[in-house]
Amino acid sequence: RIGKVRNVAAVRGATQKGYGEGAGLSPADAAVVWKREMEPVRKEFGTISWGEPVVRLGAPATTATDEGVQRLRSFLDACDGCHVDSVPVHWYGGPRDIENDALADHVARVHDAFDQRPIWVTEFAVVDADLEDTRVGFGQNVGLLDRLG
C-alpha cells in the first residue's frame, strides 16, 4: 500500500510473464491482485476536479513477444471493471531490430491493440551486440522515444 505517501502520479502493476518468469502470476491471478491492491490506490487518491485520476494506473508490463501481448489481453479480459490508464512495455532487441525499427513497431502494435492507451516504455536494451552497436542502438532508441513522447 502507498500509505502516507502523497506525491504519487503513477503506479505500475507487476511485470507479467511473457519472457522468463515475470511476476509468476497467471493473468487471472494478476487481475485478483490488481482489484485488491491497485484499485484502492486510485480510489484513495480520487480525481482532479475535471474527472482525471490523481494517480494513473499502468497495466502489468509486457514483453515484445506475442505471448506477452496475449497475456496482457488475458489480464484485461479477466480484470473486468478495472481502471488501466496506460500500458507499460519492455523491449529487448539486437542490432538488426534497431535497423528495422522494431521498438517503434512494438510500441505501435501495443498502442493499437490496447485501445490507444498511452504506452510507457519502462525497459529497453540492445542485446547481443558489441559496444559500438549498443551505443548506436541506444542513441537511436532514445531518439525514437523523444520523437514519440
Side-chain angles (χ1 to χ4, degrees):
R1 299 279 162 139
I2 291 181
K4 295 181 180 185
V5 176
R6 291 291 161 214
N7 294 326
V8 176
V11 177
R12 191 193 93 186
T15 298
Q16 275 293 293
K17 200 176 192 180
Y19 181 81
E21 287 304 309
L25 298 173
S26 71
D29 289 342
V32 169
V33 172
W34 183 279
K35 289 176 181 180
R36 184 183 69 228
E37 301 295 331
M38 301 292 278
E39 290 296 320
V41 170
R42 186 181 180 105
K43 185 176 181 182
E44 176 183 344
F45 283 84
T47 58
I48 299 171
S49 60
W50 54 88
E52 288 292 314
V54 172
V55 174
R56 297 194 187 293
L57 301 180
T62 186
T63 62
T65 64
D66 290 338
E67 178 190 2
V69 172
Q70 181 53 49
R71 288 181 65 83
L72 182 55
R73 172 63 53 213
S74 296
F75 163 78
L76 291 172
D77 290 345
C79 208
D80 186 46
C82 293
H83 297 92
V84 176
D85 301 303
S86 62
V87 179
V89 296
H90 298 170
W91 181 88
Y92 303 93
R96 282 202 176 117
D97 297 314
I98 301 295
E99 293 169 9
N100 295 322
D101 291 328
L103 174 58
D105 291 346
H106 178 58
V107 168
R109 183 171 63 121
V110 171
H111 187 251
D112 291 345
F114 296 106
D115 305 320
Q116 307 292 309
R117 286 182 175 100
I119 303 297
W120 298 347
V121 178
T122 55
E123 292 181 20
F124 76 94
V126 180
V127 297
D128 298 326
D130 63 24
L131 182 59
E132 182 60 16
D133 284 342
T134 299
R135 186 190 66 74
V136 170
F138 185 81
Q140 288 174 336
N141 279 334
V142 168
L144 166 73
L145 296 174
D146 284 343
R147 287 189 306 278
L148 292 175

